[in-house]
């Protein structure tokens, strides 16, 4: 029975944006962003019904009693009924990998028009792939909150997302690899068909950027040699230039996210592409290059100790690369390596932001000459592999062992350009 009101009928609560609701303050319901989020420096997710993926238990059919993907709409759970195309083993695969991670996936409409297997893969991408691409678990994750909603209206992005999810599952359940290849080829074909479009609207712009980024992430997930990440990076750079450059794209929150990710990938790829380019870029790392970390400092100051340490370690790894590329005395380089290892010795791979250290460990590891330092780097990368499930981490270990074996030849900063065939980030 409803509680009796003593001073008239209580007005119906008007829901605001997600951030204001979480902060328990009145939202001004501004569009596309409310002023309270703007003043606080938060990423406003706007108004409207909020959908999220979670796990539930099937009550009937051959999967009765098993955990399956479900959808939560305004507090009520709806279990997705899996078809015969999605086996119990496939459903369990999504729960056996990174089972301790639960991330929200935002979509604009109910997903009943999408087949069960696709719903499962979209949830898996939200739970296991998107978190590995973000520094820490915060409210906003561009891969989850910007790219996933694009799958609702763009088939090419949906294929690219499902290819990434399937490849990630395929590392543990081989049956997913054929599904991954099918979605990968569909995304490639769709991207090729749009290649010569002249009049590109905002929706098409984000679709093409999303697809190219996801194809690059697929290479990181599989860790397969022969997939030239350099071609994808050049493709992305050429496309951005054709649209008027970075400044023309990053005028809103969506554009900022894509440019931020592109800058990050360009920075991390330089030692793998050109020693000369890396010497220039790593010696002049700007706030823009590391904006994917600095942005969290502004919107989530509670993560400041972790983020500041990550920024410092990325810069230290870059300094060690520059030291080797410019041939400073070995004693000075050894001191830098010792300082990096000392600072990371207590930084657990499963701690918030730990997976951001894959690239720094890879770069610093190439300089390590002592067996105990090399063992430390390998152990850290193995922990990070178990955390993210991205096979490029295992590939990084393989490359480092080759570098350590070939010591005495050309400097590793020069050799790395020819040795590395997979994007390590």
């Amino acid at each position: 029975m409803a509680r009796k009101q003593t001073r008239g009928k209580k007005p119906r609560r008007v829901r605001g944006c997600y951030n204001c609701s979480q902060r328990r303050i009145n939202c001004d319901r501004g569009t596309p962003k409310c002023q309270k989020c703007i003043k606080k420096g938060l990423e406003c997710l706007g108004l409207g019904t909020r959908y999220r993926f979670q796990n539930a238990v099937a009550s009937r059919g051959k999967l009765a009693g098993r955990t399956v993907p479900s959808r939560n709409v305004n507090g009520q759970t709806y279990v997705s009924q899996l078809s015969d195309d999605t086996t119990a083993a496939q459903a369990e695969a999504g729960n056996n990998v990174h089972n301790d991670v639960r991330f929200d996936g935002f979509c604009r409409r109910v997903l009943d028009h999408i087949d069960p297997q696709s719903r499962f893969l979209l949830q898996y991408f939200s739970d296991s792939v998107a978190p590995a691409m973000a520094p820490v678990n915060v409210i906003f994750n561009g891969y989850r909150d910007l790219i996933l909603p694009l799958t609702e209206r763009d088939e090419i992005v949906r294929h690219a997302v499902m290819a990434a999810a399937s490849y990630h599952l395929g590392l543990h359940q081989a049956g997913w690899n054929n599904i991954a290849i099918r979605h990968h080829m569909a995304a490639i074909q769709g991207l090729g068909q749009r290649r010569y479009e002249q009049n590109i609207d905002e929706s098409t712009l984000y679709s093409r950027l999303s697809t190219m980024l996801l194809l690059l992430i697929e290479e990181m997930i599989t860790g397969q040699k022969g997939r030239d990440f350099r071609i994808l990076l050049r493709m992305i750079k050429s496309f951005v230039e054709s649209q008027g450059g970075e400044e023309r794209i990053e005028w809103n929150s969506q554009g900022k996210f894509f440019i931020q990710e592109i800058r990050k990938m360009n920075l991390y790829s330089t030692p793998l592409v050109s020693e000369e380019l890396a010497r220039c870029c790593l010696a002049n790392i700007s706030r823009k290059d590391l904006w994917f970390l600095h942005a969290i400092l502004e919107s989530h100051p509670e993560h400041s100790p972790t983020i500041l340490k990550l920024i410092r370690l990325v810069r230290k790894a870059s300094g060690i690369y520059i030291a080797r590329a410019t041939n400073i005395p070995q004693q000075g380089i050894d001191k830098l390596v010792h300082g990096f290892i000392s600072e990371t010795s207590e930084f657990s791979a499963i701690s918030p932001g730990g997976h951001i250290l894959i690239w720094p460990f890879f770069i610093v590891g190439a300089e390590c000459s002592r067996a105990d330092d090399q063992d430390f780097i390998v152990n850290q990368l193995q922990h990070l592999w178990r955390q993210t499930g991205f096979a490029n981490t295992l590939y990084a270990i393989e490359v480092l062992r080759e570098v350590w074996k070939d010591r005495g030849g050309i400097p590793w900063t020069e050799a790395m350009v020819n040795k590395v065939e997979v994007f390590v980030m």
Side-chain angles (χ1 to χ4, degrees), residues 105-109 111 113-114 122 125 142-162 194 201-214 254-255 257-258:
F106 293 89
C107 290
R108 302 303 181 192
R109 296 189 297 276
L111 299 177
H113 60 290
I114 298 178
L122 293 176
F125 181 89
Y143 288 94
R144 179 193 63 208
D145 302 324
L146 295 180
I147 291 181
L148 261 184
L150 288 177
T151 65
E152 262 291 274
R153 61 179 182 270
D154 194 297
E155 186 179 19
I156 298 174
V157 178
R158 186 159 68 245
H159 280 303
V161 165
M162 292 193 291
R194 292 182 176 178
D201 58 16
E202 187 176 282
S203 176
T204 304
L205 170 68
Y206 297 146
S207 168
R208 288 176 64 171
L209 286 173
S210 297
T211 304
M212 288 186 281
L213 283 177
L214 289 165
Q254 285 181 288
F257 164 73
F258 287 113

Side-chain angles (χ1 to χ4, degrees), residues 242-259:
S242 73
Q243 301 308 303
E246 295 178 352
E247 292 74 17
R248 292 288 299 274
I249 296 175
E250 60 178 345
W251 65 274
N252 63 8
S253 58
Q254 285 181 288
K256 284 181 181 177
F257 164 73
F258 287 113
I259 295 303

Side-chain angles (χ1 to χ4, degrees), residues 265-285:
M265 292 179 175
N266 282 334
L267 177 72
Y268 285 166
S269 69
T270 53
L272 318 179
V273 174
S274 164
E275 183 189 34
E276 182 179 356
L277 180 63
R279 287 172 61 174
C280 177
C281 291
L282 297 182
N284 299 283
I285 297 179

Side-chain angles (χ1 to χ4, degrees), residues 131-136 349 351-359 384 387-388 425:
M133 294 303 299
V136 293
S351 62
H355 58 283
I356 299 301
L357 295 180
I358 292 173
W359 185 85
L384 290 167
Q387 182 70 7
T388 66
M425 187 186 82

